[in-house]
Amino acid sequence: MGITVSPPVKPSVDFVMDAPLQQLVDELGIDLVEAGITEPGFTGYVYVDRDGVTVALPPNRSELEHDCMARYLIGTAFRVDGLPPLPEPFQVSDMTADVNRAHRSQADEALRRVRGGAV
C-alpha cells in the first residue's frame, strides 16, 4: 500500500529528473517497491490511489533502467509538465479506464445482489 501523499506543489521536471532518486522518493512520499512481474518486456508500473503513490519496478534490472523508469513513472503520476518521452522501444499503457470499468462492474454486481436480496 502506498504512503499518504499530498505535496503542496507539483514537482518541477528539473526536480524529477535531477534530484537524487532517494530524495525524490522521500520528499514526494513515494512507496518504491519491487514488482512481482519479471517478464523481460515489463519495466514497471505506477499506482495512484487515496493512500498515495506506489511505483513498482521489476528486480534484476540495470541501475540506469531502474533510475530512469522510477523517475518517468513518478513524473507521470504527478503529471509533471515537460517530462521527456521515453525512448524507443519503451511504451506506456494507461490502464486507468480498464481499472475504473472493472470497479464499476464490481459495484454494479454488488448493487444487483443487494436489490435482489442476496447477501
Side-chain angles (χ1 to χ4, degrees), residues 6-27:
S6 55
V9 180
K10 182 190 309 191
S12 70
V13 69
D14 290 336
F15 181 64
V16 170
M17 300 307 289
D18 297 332
L21 183 57
Q22 191 59 54
Q23 178 186 354
L24 180 65
V25 166
D26 291 344
E27 288 190 21

Side-chain angles (χ1 to χ4, degrees), residues 17 63 92 106:
M17 300 307 289
E63 185 177 335
V92 174
Q106 290 172 350

Side-chain angles (χ1 to χ4, degrees), residues 13-108:
V13 69
D14 290 336
F15 181 64
V16 170
M17 300 307 289
D18 297 332
L21 183 57
Q22 191 59 54
Q23 178 186 354
L24 180 65
V25 166
D26 291 344
E27 288 190 21
L28 296 177
I30 306 294
D31 192 11
L32 184 59
V33 300
E34 188 174 282
I37 304 169
T38 59
E39 282 80 21
F42 175 75
T43 56
Y45 67 85
V46 62
Y47 184 79
V48 180
D49 64 11
R50 68 177 144 254
D51 294 324
V53 176
T54 299
V55 173
L57 301 170
N60 303 320
R61 300 297 165 89
S62 72
E63 185 177 335
L64 178 62
E65 181 180 341
H66 183 271
D67 187 83
C68 291
M69 289 310 300
R71 291 174 189 282
Y72 183 81
L73 293 171
I74 290 168
T76 299
F78 285 90
R79 301 176 194 260
V80 172
D81 297 325
L83 191 67
L86 288 173
E88 291 292 329
F90 294 101
Q91 295 178 2
V92 174
S93 299
D94 184 347
M95 299 178 69
T96 305
D98 296 337
V99 170
N100 289 340
R101 191 171 19 263
H103 286 162
R104 277 193 304 276
S105 178
Q106 290 172 350
D108 290 345

